[in-house]
Amino acid sequence: MKNSFAYLMSLVFCLGILNTITGQTGGDKNNEGWISLFNGKNLDGWKVGENAQTFSIEDGAIKVEGPKAHLFYVGDVENHDFDNFEFKASVMTKPGSNSGIYIHTRYQEASWPLYGYEVQVNNSQSDWKRTGSLYDIVNVIETYVGDDEWYTEYIKVEGKRIIIKINDIVVVDYTEPENPKRAEGERQHRVLKGGTFALQGHDPKSIVYYKDIMVKPLP
């Protein structure tokens, strides 16, 4: 009996270690098909070029505070190359803060991301384009959430259609035309061509938190 009990306790201990290791790598999938991209403990699976100190971990969330920087998902889920998906994250802004969530983008060492779309995170900063805007494509002027409170930012890409929700309120429903007109320079790459996600550190005065970062790949 003692030997059986010792074996059982050893098995439980080993499973606990395994679960801890698995939890630290991210990529856990729930029964609704959502896959975690952030493990709440470190930045495994994410990469930042210049000004890496802008991103840190605080109370299970990614804290964004510091000079301009961008944190790109480079992990194993879908080999960090997403076409059709649902994405959601819990976000909290501090007063006067600006940030953004990039989709269909690519890793860069420096500067503003050239590729993909930016989904705005800004509830009170001087830029009038508010949270949920598909930046410079479909701009939202209304403020749907306040600073210092957690809210859900949801993005769905299916084919050429982009839907953005703030706490289940649809604020953008945009279908990219066959030949979208974009200004010369960096804006010409604001198109859907597949890619990864990135979180924006906008400026030293902006403080934003992200947690519960999830994706559900679609066919």
Side-chain angles (χ1 to χ4, degrees):
M1 179 66 74
K2 289 183 179 180
N3 288 339
S4 298
F5 179 76
Y7 173 76
L8 178 61
M9 294 304 295
S10 176
L11 181 61
V12 169
F13 178 73
C14 291
L15 287 174
I17 293 176
L18 180 61
N19 286 337
T20 300
I21 294 173
T22 303
Q24 289 177 345
T25 61
D28 295 333
K29 186 174 184 178
N30 68 18
N31 57 11
E32 296 178 345
W34 288 98
I35 305 171
S36 174
L37 299 182
F38 168 56
N39 60 30
K41 299 177 181 179
N42 53 50
L43 294 178
D44 286 356
W46 295 80
K47 184 178 181 180
V48 59
E50 65 175 356
N51 300 322
Q53 72 275 14
T54 292
F55 299 95
S56 61
I57 306 300
E58 184 175 296
D59 297 329
I62 297 174
K63 181 181 182 180
V64 187
E65 181 182 17
K68 180 182 68 179
H70 293 84
L71 181 67
F72 295 81
Y73 177 71
V74 295
D76 294 336
V77 179
E78 298 291 298
N79 197 27
H80 57 271
D81 189 5
F82 303 89
D83 281 311
N84 298 315
F85 59 83
E86 293 178 81
F87 172 98
K88 63 181 178 179
S90 296
V91 186
M92 181 170 66
T93 59
K94 304 302 287 184
S97 295
N98 193 328
S99 182
I101 302 167
Y102 280 83
I103 61 172
H104 280 228
T105 193
R106 308 177 190 176
Y107 175 75
Q108 289 179 209
E109 282 289 328
S111 192
W112 308 103
L114 291 174
Y115 295 90
Y117 289 94
E118 179 190 355
V119 179
Q120 178 77 308
V121 174
N122 169 21
N123 295 315
S124 63
Q125 200 249 8
S126 58
D127 188 344
W128 60 269
K129 299 161 189 171
R130 294 307 190 198
T131 291
S133 294
L134 191 62
Y135 201 85
D136 274 350
I137 305 297
V138 182
N139 293 314
V140 175
I141 63 174
E142 297 86 359
T143 302
Y144 288 91
V145 288
D147 294 316
D148 292 317
E149 65 180 69
W150 288 103
Y151 71 90
T152 299
E153 194 143 357
Y154 167 97
I155 308 162
K156 181 179 181 180
V157 175
E158 192 166 22
K160 294 295 185 179
R161 187 180 183 188
I162 303 172
I163 295 173
I164 301 170
K165 297 180 184 180
I166 303 301
N167 286 345
D168 295 324
I169 300 171
V170 176
V171 296
V172 169
D173 189 341
Y174 170 77
T175 299
E176 183 182 275
E178 186 173 343
N179 295 300
K181 293 182 179 181
R182 300 286 186 258
E184 289 299 317
E186 68 175 45
R187 298 300 182 193
Q188 65 185 308
H189 300 296
R190 294 286 181 260
V191 292
L192 295 171
K193 286 190 174 180
T196 191
F197 306 103
L199 306 179
Q200 181 185 82
H202 188 271
D203 62 83
K205 294 182 179 180
S206 292
I207 303 174
V208 179
Y209 295 86
Y210 294 90
K211 66 179 182 179
D212 304 324
I213 304 171
M214 312 284 284
V215 69
K216 182 191 293 186
L218 300 175

